[in-house]
Amino acid sequence: MKLWSMPSSGNSYKVRLALALLDRDCEIVDVEESSAELAAAKAAGRLPFGKAPVLELDDGRLLPESNAILCWLGEGTRLVPDDAFGRAAMLGWMFWEQNQHEGVIAVRAALRSYPSRRHLATPERMAELLERGHALLQVMEERLAGHDWLVGDGVSLADLCLYGYTHTAGSRGGFDMARFPGIGRWIDRIAALPGHKGIAE
Ligand SMILES: N[C@@H](CCC(=O)N[C@@H](CS)C(=O)NCC(=O)O)C(=O)O
């Protein structure tokens, strides 16, 4: 397998983390934001939706969308709950991550860190994203204040998915993580999983 992966992106990192935790062999091809490699991968048709990550299977099939890739890699492993409700609840968090969390938590971090986006980081937009982000993180805090994991009693794809951008929400996004001690303990729990790799590893 080959993963077309953006080193600085939480969407690509969550897949790299799943590969590491599952001890799966995969060639990683770096396609950093605004790089010639990213442009070449798009031109070569390796990114069907024009975005990273994409998993290229050994038979040549291409799978875009980070959470779809997580589902593919997680099939039949301990990262997917055994029961139907648990699986649906896991997907619920993963859909929420894409349609609520990512568009605020990741976007604020991107506006702060990618030079190509800085002109969009107006004080009004940054303040609005800060307020919305804190409200979204509070949704996670309400679950994690009383539970070790987002779904059931064990780590699942939902945790890896949300960890992708949440673990750098303070350092990259500028969110006040001291307000969310349950999230802090959960981040430490994921970082302690056997095989865990950091975003820069
Ligand atoms: N929903 C997609 C989002 C992928 C995405 O937005 N990727 C960004 C990096 S986080 C990208 O490839 N940007 C490069 C570009 O748009 O040229 C997923 O979860 O995989």
Side-chain angles (χ1 to χ4, degrees):
M1 293 187 297
K2 193 185 273 189
L3 181 70
W4 300 86
S5 163
M6 185 175 289
S8 63
S9 143
N11 281 323
S12 290
Y13 170 55
K14 62 174 94 144
V15 176
R16 297 198 302 275
L17 179 59
L19 288 165
L21 294 177
L22 293 169
D23 199 19
R24 297 284 302 270
D25 280 337
C26 186
E27 180 188 345
I28 308 291
V29 184
D30 288 343
V31 286
E32 190 47 278
E33 166 78 11
S34 304
S35 68
E37 290 78 13
L38 177 64
K42 288 185 189 184
R46 302 340 277 163
L47 311 182
F49 297 162
K51 303 279 179 188
V54 168
L55 187 69
E56 183 169 343
L57 305 186
D58 291 339
D59 62 12
R61 283 180 293 172
L62 296 169
L63 186 59
E65 286 295 326
S66 58
N67 290 349
I69 301 170
L70 287 184
C71 287
W72 169 263
L73 293 173
E75 180 90 7
T77 75
R78 66 186 187 284
L79 296 177
V80 176
D82 291 334
D83 64 301
F85 184 82
R87 283 194 296 279
M90 177 190 82
L91 289 172
W93 278 109
M94 294 168 79
F95 293 138
W96 179 79
E97 185 258 357
Q98 285 288 297
N99 73 34
Q100 302 278 325
H101 181 282
E102 196 239 24
V104 176
I105 307 291
V107 165
R108 194 169 199 277
L111 291 178
R112 280 164 49 103
S113 50
Y114 292 131
S116 60
R117 312 262 178 97
R118 289 235 176 91
H119 66 287
L120 301 170
T122 61
E124 297 74 24
R125 179 129 195 247
M126 297 307 273
E128 187 219 340
L129 289 171
L130 190 68
E131 190 181 335
R132 286 172 60 201
H134 285 148
L136 291 162
L137 292 166
Q138 185 58 34
V139 172
M140 294 177 66
E141 179 66 20
E142 274 160 27
R143 165 72 193 183
L144 293 169
H147 298 86
D148 285 353
W149 306 106
L150 289 172
V151 177
D153 297 328
V155 60
S156 75
L157 298 180
D159 299 290
L160 307 191
C161 165
L162 265 309
Y163 181 78
Y165 285 107
T166 304
H167 82 294
T168 54
S171 58
R172 290 191 180 182
F175 295 99
D176 177 10
M177 300 308 286
R179 296 189 194 183
F180 310 111
I183 294 181
R185 290 190 298 274
W186 169 80
I187 286 173
D188 292 346
R189 214 170 281 129
I190 295 179
L193 289 171
H196 174 276
K197 273 193 180 169
I199 190 163
E201 289 178 69

